[in-house]
Amino acid sequence: MAERMRRFGVGYALAPKKQASFIQVSLVNLAKERGIDLVKIDMDKPLIEQGPFDCVLHKLYGDDWKRQLEEYALKYPHVLIIDSLEAIERLHNRISMLQVATELEIKCETTSFGIPKQTVVYDAKIVSASYLESEGLKFPVIAKPLVADGSAKSHKMLLVFNKDGLSKLKPPIVLQEFVNHGAVIFKVYVVGDYVKCVKRKSLPDVMEENLGKLESYLSFSQVSNLNTCEKNDDKYYKLMNLDDAELPPLSFLKEIARGLRRATKLYLFNFDLIRDNRVGNKYLVIDINYFPGYAKMPNYESVMTDFFWDVLNKNDKGFENLQKDSCEKEVRLLVGNKGYGEDEGTLPVSPLKREEKENTIQV
Ligand SMILES: Nc1ncnc2c1ncn2[C@@H]1O[C@H](COP(=O)(O)OP(=O)(O)OP(=O)(O)O)[C@@H](O)[C@H]1O
Ligand SMILES: O=P(O)(O)O[C@H]1[C@H](OP(=O)(O)O)[C@@H](OP(=O)(O)O)[C@@H](O)[C@@H](O)[C@@H]1OP(=O)(O)O
Ligand SMILES: [Mg+2]
Ligand SMILES: [Mg+2]
């Protein structure tokens, strides 16, 4: 007689918009077939009275939720919480967020990586052109809210072209050097061991000779985002003129992803990379987001289901395996015949033909 499959319960606590985009029938059904029930956590009832779940998947803010999760973890120490509050917290501040990236040692002969120059400003009065200079920055600079808490406000940015634009800053902010990158950004999605890179449109390059001719600043928000119904597919690449942009080497991206996982102890995040136009193969990490819009990722249902299956069956509650495994080692499912990560897909590589002119802010 066939053995009965063990079932797992994954309770999810997500904001309504996230729930609508992520919890799709296709995901729920695929997970169910693999013995994983996705169950909505009722926010009108105490968490402690629900479940018990094998795993709690969450992206919510605020002290009440924090307290409830902590209480739950105490009562059910074996429940897997994805991700830990402490680990997520690090991404809520744009300085500590990128600090992790500076701690990584990426060994790659052909490609290098880092973060843009940046400084934090708490007091608008101290900011002047000479202050920027003393911090090693020059125009244009991007002003980003220090706090990245998922609010609309935390995505509101200013691209400042000259000293007049500095009067618009609303601290606390991070002032970051604007790096010309050919108007394409690479979003690298990480789901446990799985890594997938997609291209998105970004801000156009700014030519130094045009600085004086531009307005003093440009405000923008989520320029690289897609609507939840949009997909990162060939149609999008064509429409956005992105199909010629060459993707960074996958082995390089996997090393960064692995390093970030180890340093942050997060399972679910994406990071934004830009290629520095001034230096051949130098990439800069500009942003790291917890539990991003995975539903826009190709085959997200199977990627997420494989991930749940893997963590639930291992339930290692830690990153011991990550420490042990070599970067290229394939992590295999404990049962089933499909190797985890096998459908990472081949990343198309084509020469970068984009002309600088196309992506330049013109006056
Ligand atoms: N240092 C930089 N140099 C050039 N362009 C940048 C830089 N930092 C950010 N950008 C551009 O600004 C956009 C928004 O910046 P960032 O990713 O930090 O903001 P965010 O609101 O946190 O984004 P997300 O929607 O991914 O959470 C980027 O997608 C990119 O187009
Ligand atoms: O869904 P959420 O509200 O969490 O929004 C996230 C958004 O996903 P969505 O597009 O599905 O909305 C993400 O887009 P992608 O980069 O993955 O395209 C990215 O902008 C995250 O930074 C956002 O998280 P936040 O930083 O605001 O917490
Ligand atoms: Mg971003
Ligand atoms: Mg972000």
Side-chain angles (χ1 to χ4, degrees), residues 17-18 21 59 61 150 155 187 189 200 222 225-226 228 270 289 291-293 296:
K17 181 176 157 264
K18 194 65 158 181
S21 67
K59 183 174 180 179
Y61 302 88
H155 290 295
K187 281 206 169 259
Y189 288 89
R200 295 268 180 89
Q222 296 200 286
N225 213 343
L226 289 184
T228 36
N270 73 2
N289 301 298
F291 202 149
K296 289 173 273 181

Side-chain angles (χ1 to χ4, degrees), residues 184 199-201 226 230-245 350 353-354 358-359:
V184 52
K199 295 177 273 188
R200 295 268 180 89
K201 70 168 187 316
L226 289 184
E230 289 179 297
K231 292 264 180 207
N232 253 108
D233 54 13
D234 290 346
K235 234 167 86 188
Y236 171 80
Y237 289 165
K238 266 214 159 50
L239 191 72
M240 293 299 164
N241 215 9
L242 292 172
D243 40 4
D244 283 343
S350 57
K353 292 188 203 125
R354 178 173 308 283
E358 276 173 29
N359 306 313

Side-chain angles (χ1 to χ4, degrees), residues 10-15 18-19 22-23 39 41 43 47 55-62 65-70 72-73 79-89 92 266-268 290-292 294 304 307-308:
V10 175
Y12 61 84
L14 303 169
K18 194 65 158 181
Q19 188 181 308
F22 185 77
I23 306 292
V39 183
I41 290 171
M43 296 312 290
L47 175 63
C55 169
V56 174
L57 180 71
H58 70 109
K59 183 174 180 179
L60 289 177
Y61 302 88
W65 175 246
K66 220 171 139 179
R67 188 192 46 73
Q68 292 208 51
L69 255 190
E70 282 162 358
Y72 203 76
V79 69
L80 197 58
I81 293 182
I82 295 184
D83 273 299
S84 95
L85 287 164
E86 202 188 345
I88 298 170
E89 194 88 27
H92 290 169
L266 289 169
Y267 286 102
L268 301 179
Y290 178 60
F291 202 149
Y294 285 121
M304 297 311 304
F307 166 71
F308 292 138

